[in-house]
């Protein structure tokens, strides 16, 4: 896993990159958050949805709630970018909509949008 520090609008975020899935469960999410904090000094994480286990996007597993609650508890913010158009679950679409109205969790289409959401 590579953590790339990005400065934009006077704020810092980290783009997580890897050829493997990074977030598999709550512990791996905390590990990512703490690595970003200690390596780059920020808790703002930008990550592709491809690097998150697919069960995250099946709300009935409870994984999304567990992982995102850990981010909130530890003061982290996350922007997940990718294509969400193939998901048909109304609860997931509602979850994404409501998350995007807040200040800590964002689901967007592109990496550039993700960076902008965390650094505006």
């Amino acid at each position: 896993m590579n953590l790339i520090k990005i400065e934009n609008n006077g704020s810092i975020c980290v783009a997580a990159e890897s050829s493997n899935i990074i977030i598999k469960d709550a512990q791996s999410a905390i590990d990512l958050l703490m690595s970003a904090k200690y390596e780059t000094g920020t808790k703002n994480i930008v990550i592709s949805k491809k690097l998150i286990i697919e069960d995250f996007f099946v709300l009935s597993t409870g994984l999304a709630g567990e992982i995102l609650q850990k981010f909130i508890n530890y003061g982290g913010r996350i922007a997940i970018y990718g294509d969400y158009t193939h998901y048909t679950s109304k609860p997931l679409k509602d979850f994404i909509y409501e998350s995007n109205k807040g200040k800590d969790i964002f689901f967007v289409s592109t990496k550039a949008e993700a960076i902008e959401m965390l650094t505006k």
Side-chain angles (χ1 to χ4, degrees), residues 15-33:
E17 297 184 353
S18 177
S19 57
N20 300 313
I21 290 177
I22 295 174
I23 298 179
K24 301 173 189 156
D25 53 25
Q27 186 58 54
S28 59
I30 293 169
D31 292 345
L32 169 61
L33 183 60

Side-chain angles (χ1 to χ4, degrees), residues 40-102:
T40 64
T42 187
K43 293 183 183 179
N44 295 328
I45 310 292
V46 170
I47 189 168
S48 168
K49 69 178 282 305
K50 294 176 186 175
L51 300 179
I52 301 173
I53 193 166
E54 190 61 29
D55 281 353
F56 178 93
F57 300 98
V58 179
L59 293 184
S60 62
T61 66
L63 194 56
E66 182 182 4
I67 288 171
L68 297 176
Q69 187 61 54
K70 295 289 184 194
F71 262 83
I72 299 301
N73 290 350
Y74 286 90
R77 299 172 69 223
I78 188 167
I80 303 167
Y81 64 91
D83 180 12
Y84 301 98
T85 58
H86 68 280
Y87 294 113
T88 58
S89 165
K90 182 172 179 352
L92 178 62
K93 289 180 180 186
D94 291 346
F95 179 75
I96 288 171
Y97 176 79
E98 290 299 324
S99 294
N100 285 342
K101 289 171 46 177

